[in-house]
Amino acid sequence: MESPDPLGDYEALPLNVSPYTHMGAGALAGIMEHCVMYPVDSVKTRMQSIRLASTYRGPVDALIKMVSTEGFLRPVRGIQAVFVGAGPAHAMYFACYENVKTLLEAQLGHGPLAHGLAGSAAAVFHDAVMNPAEVVKQRMQMFNSSYKSCTQCFTAIWRREGPRAFYRSYFTQLTMNVPFQGIHFMIYELMQDAMNPLRLYDPRSHVVSGAMAGAIAAAITTPLDVCKTLLNTQELCALNREDKAVRGLPQAMMTIYRCCGFRGYFAGLQARVIFQMPSTAISWSVYEFFKYFITKRSGATEEHG
């Protein structure tokens, strides 16, 4: 009797595969995603800046002005922070998603609810690891930033504002990322059901599903991302005279409305969608490839065992 194809359902990794497998694949996916798309992320941060709200006509204009006035390498300034943070953050992210999804599917069945809840749970662990790196890289991305390196930036924030500064935007980040990841994973899995119902390794379907999931989730959660940027950067022009810092989501929302009006909540929308589409496409493509590679290798080992 012919043995079943070990790659027929590569989504279900062999039972003897360690959770570190998901973590390793997730870490590589996160580093690739953030580093490749970092210049676009820098543009997004600039376009969400209250001080520069009317300076840029669009993402391309912002990128050209950054390079022409501040140097060719300006869009990648602070990339070391995400290189250090993205690996462990995405390791936790994918490992949590896979394990929680398996548990929930056993109770709820294969469907959007299980995938959305698993994605939301993954966001909690991802953001706990990634938030300090987000603070450092956004301080480095700001116009006329005085920090010469990520290390100096981290040290200065710790000394002047204390360790709590690295988690000032954490609950806002969660408020954004819990629905973002829930929507993201639901759309990704629904599109996989439509484009790749047999769940074979299919790079095209992973790219398209990832890009669409990222774009839709990014557009819906842009106002919260603008608030997160303000909480991370603490732009002086936005601070009230009686306050030393903008604290919490409600104050961030009021500050943005006071400075920029309703349209301020959607600053950088285009750049955010442009950033998230290829980011999530890259992330899912790299992650699914390593799942496929590991399953293939495991199947080959069993055949020769």
Side-chain angles (χ1 to χ4, degrees), residues 166-225:
F166 295 106
Y167 285 93
R168 189 179 281 131
S169 66
Y170 180 59
F171 290 105
T172 299
Q173 184 94 337
L174 283 183
T175 303
M176 175 182 71
N177 274 351
V178 165
F180 175 90
Q181 298 301 351
I183 295 166
H184 166 206
F185 280 104
M186 286 172 62
I187 293 172
Y188 180 82
E189 297 284 2
L190 284 170
M191 291 196 67
Q192 283 293 286
D193 287 341
M195 297 182 66
N196 187 18
L198 297 179
R199 296 301 177 116
L200 303 173
Y201 176 61
D202 180 13
R204 182 180 67 87
S205 76
H206 301 320
V207 168
V208 173
S209 300
M212 290 302 298
I216 294 170
I220 292 171
T221 57
T222 292
L224 293 166
D225 190 48

Side-chain angles (χ1 to χ4, degrees), residues 21-302:
T21 296
H22 291 300
M23 297 181 76
L28 290 168
I31 290 169
M32 283 285 292
E33 169 195 347
H34 282 280
C35 290
V36 170
M37 295 305 300
Y38 191 82
V40 183
D41 185 53
S42 293
V43 168
K44 176 186 72 71
T45 297
R46 286 296 186 87
M47 294 188 72
Q48 290 177 342
S49 165
I50 289 177
R51 179 169 40 160
L52 304 174
S54 60
T55 302
Y56 305 123
R57 293 192 299 271
V60 175
D61 180 55
L63 181 61
I64 291 171
K65 286 180 177 176
M66 285 175 69
V67 172
S68 62
T69 61
E70 301 171 60
F72 182 74
L73 295 178
R74 191 63 182 83
V76 296
R77 193 164 186 262
I79 195 172
Q80 299 91 335
V82 297
F83 184 85
V84 172
H90 276 70
M92 296 291 293
Y93 172 70
F94 279 109
C96 176
Y97 175 70
E98 294 285 2
N99 283 280
V100 174
K101 181 178 80 168
T102 300
L103 292 172
L104 290 176
E105 283 185 336
Q107 301 295 321
L108 305 173
H110 178 85
L113 180 59
H115 303 146
L117 291 173
S120 297
V124 176
F125 291 95
H126 172 273
D127 292 352
V129 178
M130 193 66 183
N131 216 84
E134 282 280 329
V135 174
V136 172
K137 65 102 171 170
Q138 289 201 304
R139 295 282 181 106
M140 297 287 290
Q141 288 171 336
M142 294 303 290
F143 175 73
N144 210 21
S145 173
S146 60
Y147 304 111
K148 301 191 184 309
S149 70
C150 291
T151 303
Q152 184 205 4
C153 181
F154 180 89
T155 304
I157 294 170
W158 183 285
R159 188 176 62 251
R160 295 172 191 165
E161 303 172 52
R164 293 180 64 181
F166 295 106
Y167 285 93
R168 189 179 281 131
S169 66
Y170 180 59
F171 290 105
T172 299
Q173 184 94 337
L174 283 183
T175 303
M176 175 182 71
N177 274 351
V178 165
F180 175 90
Q181 298 301 351
I183 295 166
H184 166 206
F185 280 104
M186 286 172 62
I187 293 172
Y188 180 82
E189 297 284 2
L190 284 170
M191 291 196 67
Q192 283 293 286
D193 287 341
M195 297 182 66
N196 187 18
L198 297 179
R199 296 301 177 116
L200 303 173
Y201 176 61
D202 180 13
R204 182 180 67 87
S205 76
H206 301 320
V207 168
V208 173
S209 300
M212 290 302 298
I216 294 170
I220 292 171
T221 57
T222 292
L224 293 166
D225 190 48
V226 176
C227 292
K228 181 208 74 174
T229 296
L230 175 59
L231 289 167
N232 281 345
T233 58
Q234 294 293 307
E235 288 188 85
L236 293 176
C237 61
L239 302 183
N240 295 319
R241 290 181 181 177
E242 66 273 14
D243 294 329
K244 294 182 179 179
V246 177
R247 296 182 178 87
L249 178 59
Q251 190 179 1
M253 293 188 73
M254 288 188 291
T255 302
I256 291 165
Y257 185 79
R258 187 184 71 243
C259 294
C260 306
F262 183 76
R263 63 185 300 177
Y265 296 124
F266 294 92
L269 170 62
Q270 188 179 5
R272 177 165 162 78
V273 172
I274 291 171
F275 169 75
Q276 286 293 347
M277 283 187 73
S279 288
T280 47
I282 291 168
S283 182
W284 277 111
S285 298
V286 173
Y287 181 67
E288 298 282 15
F289 168 76
F290 277 102
K291 283 174 66 178
Y292 168 76
F293 176 78
I294 291 162
T295 309
K296 182 177 180 181
R297 186 174 179 181
S298 176
T301 301
E302 288 177 5

